[in-house]
Amino acid sequence: MSKVRDRTEDFKDVARRSALSLGYDESKTAALLASFIMHKPRQRSGFTRAALKTLESIGTLEQFLMKHKKDYVDLHRTTEQERDSIEHEVTIFVKSCKEQIDVLRNSINEEDANSKGWLGLKGDNLNADTIAHKHGVVLILSEKLHSVTSQFDQLRAIRFQDAINRVTPRRKRKSTTKSNAAEASASSSLDPDMKRDSEVRDSDVSQAAPIRVQEQLLDDETRALQVELNCLLDSVQETETKMVEMSALNHLMSTHVLQQAQQIELLYEQAVEATQNVELGNKELSQAIQRNSSSRTFLLLFLFVLTFSILFLDWYS
């Protein structure tokens, strides 16, 4: 067996001489030879760049949640305003990521509509595979965003549960204040005769009258403050109930989004199967057309031979 000779240096010499004959200088020639070894990276498409940007945004959102997780859950680290600010920023992040995913999905739909040929059939298998790949990318991004939003929903549920736990002892205090108010109203509804006796005794003890008037004023102010605080407590409880309901609705919406993602995946699989069926149908149609053309050719040839045979027999006879 003969030895294989390495012709790499010969190839480089030929390439160098060809470059010099075409007017290349030394720097261009060196760049040309380097391009044989180190190829330039492929230019990424607009869809790929947008998908990577969306994935980076989702990763930034996840890092933001991990960074402010303790600040959002722990009541002693931050105030209510700071927790509301964190929730607002997370909402803006989620909305931005969802808009980017919608833009990617719309671009796929437009490309799919433009790639359809005659009778709405896809003409290129490579293009169909590319569109299917892009649908998979959008589905992965949607699932990634859903996992991050579900983590934030859990943190929000913990916060609302802590708020409900703080409200529970206030409700007990409210019931005790109501019982005290009932006792006060019952004591005020005494018999009129007893009130007159007390007035007689009050007239006898005229020195204690100013003090009791001040106490009565203080009691009235205290009761007014209690009524106002009870009204504020009712409004706070109503607001907290609405917030809990909103959290439940948000969690329900995220669950529906996940179900829609699963349905989209099922539709994608059905679309791929339908594409394969259409391709098989096109093959069958092309084979039927070929059979029809071949049978037509055979029929014409047979008629020609038959006519020629009849003419020959007529001439021969």
Side-chain angles (χ1 to χ4, degrees):
M1 184 176 179
S2 61
K3 295 183 180 180
V4 179
R5 181 182 176 185
D6 188 7
R7 304 298 298 273
T8 305
E9 296 298 330
D10 297 337
F11 172 75
K12 289 182 179 180
D13 293 336
V14 172
R16 187 179 292 105
R17 287 196 299 269
S18 300
L20 293 175
S21 64
L22 293 175
Y24 284 81
D25 55 3
E26 291 296 332
S27 60
K28 290 183 179 181
T29 305
L32 180 62
L33 293 175
S35 65
F36 294 151
I37 301 174
M38 299 178 63
H39 298 282
K40 294 182 179 179
R42 294 181 61 184
Q43 188 70 22
R44 291 176 177 174
S45 63
F47 179 85
T48 304
R49 291 194 298 269
L52 291 175
K53 183 179 179 182
T54 305
L55 182 61
E56 184 179 358
S57 300
I58 296 174
T60 304
L61 174 61
E62 189 173 6
Q63 292 177 0
F64 181 80
L65 285 178
M66 296 301 296
K67 180 179 179 181
H68 297 281
K69 180 178 179 181
K70 295 182 179 179
D71 296 334
Y72 186 78
V73 176
D74 195 356
L75 302 176
H76 303 288
R77 294 172 67 95
T78 55
T79 60
E80 289 292 335
Q81 290 80 8
E82 292 176 349
R83 286 192 286 273
D84 292 338
S85 177
I86 293 173
E87 185 172 348
H88 180 66
E89 291 181 3
V90 171
T91 304
I92 293 175
F93 261 113
V94 172
K95 185 177 179 181
S96 176
C97 294
K98 189 176 182 302
E99 289 178 353
Q100 293 177 6
I101 293 174
D102 291 337
V103 169
L104 292 175
R105 187 179 290 109
N106 293 330
S107 65
I108 294 172
N109 295 330
E110 291 178 358
E111 184 178 356
D112 191 8
N114 295 328
S115 64
K116 290 182 179 180
W118 186 60
L119 294 178
L121 300 177
K122 295 181 180 179
D124 191 2
N125 294 330
L126 182 60
N127 193 15
D129 294 338
T130 304
I131 292 174
H133 169 71
K134 291 181 179 179
H135 278 294
V137 171
V138 171
L139 181 61
I140 291 172
L141 292 176
S142 301
E143 292 178 351
K144 181 69 174 178
L145 180 61
H146 174 72
S147 64
V148 177
T149 52
S150 61
Q151 293 177 5
F152 182 68
D153 289 337
Q154 293 176 0
L155 297 178
R156 187 184 295 173
I158 293 172
R159 177 188 176 187
F160 291 154
Q161 186 64 37
D162 293 337
I164 293 172
N165 294 332
R166 290 200 309 271
V167 171
T168 303
R170 295 180 183 176
R171 293 178 178 175
K172 294 181 180 179
R173 295 176 190 172
K174 181 179 179 181
S175 61
T176 55
T177 53
K178 286 183 178 179
S179 62
N180 293 330
E183 292 177 358
S185 62
S187 62
S188 62
S189 61
L190 294 173
D191 190 74
D193 296 333
M194 295 177 67
K195 288 184 179 180
R196 283 195 291 272
D197 294 336
S198 62
E199 289 176 358
V200 173
R201 286 194 294 271
D202 290 338
S203 62
D204 293 337
V205 190
S206 58
Q207 295 179 356
I211 299 175
R212 293 192 176 182
V213 170
Q214 293 179 357
E215 290 179 354
Q216 185 67 31
L217 292 175
L218 290 175
D219 290 338
D220 294 338
E221 291 179 356
T222 302
R223 290 175 184 175
L225 288 174
Q226 287 179 353
V227 171
E228 185 178 358
L229 289 175
N230 289 330
C231 293
L232 290 174
L233 182 60
D234 292 337
S235 63
V236 169
Q237 291 176 357
E238 184 178 0
T239 304
E240 289 176 348
T241 304
K242 290 181 179 179
M243 291 178 67
V244 172
E245 291 177 356
M246 289 175 61
S247 175
L249 290 174
N250 190 8
H251 182 69
L252 182 63
M253 185 180 68
S254 62
T255 304
H256 285 300
V257 168
L258 180 60
Q259 293 177 356
Q260 288 180 358
Q262 295 175 355
Q263 292 176 358
I264 290 172
E265 185 176 3
L266 179 61
L267 290 174
Y268 163 69
E269 293 177 356
Q270 293 178 356
V272 172
E273 185 178 0
T275 303
Q276 294 176 356
N277 293 331
V278 169
E279 291 176 356
L280 292 176
N282 290 331
K283 290 180 180 179
E284 293 293 335
L285 286 175
S286 61
Q287 291 177 1
I289 291 171
Q290 290 177 0
R291 293 194 193 98
N292 191 11
S293 62
S294 61
S295 62
R296 187 180 302 170
T297 304
F298 176 75
L299 182 60
L300 291 174
L301 182 62
F302 176 75
L303 291 174
F304 178 76
V305 172
L306 183 61
T307 305
F308 182 77
S309 300
I310 293 171
L311 292 175
F312 178 76
L313 290 173
D314 183 67
W315 175 79
Y316 183 75
S317 62

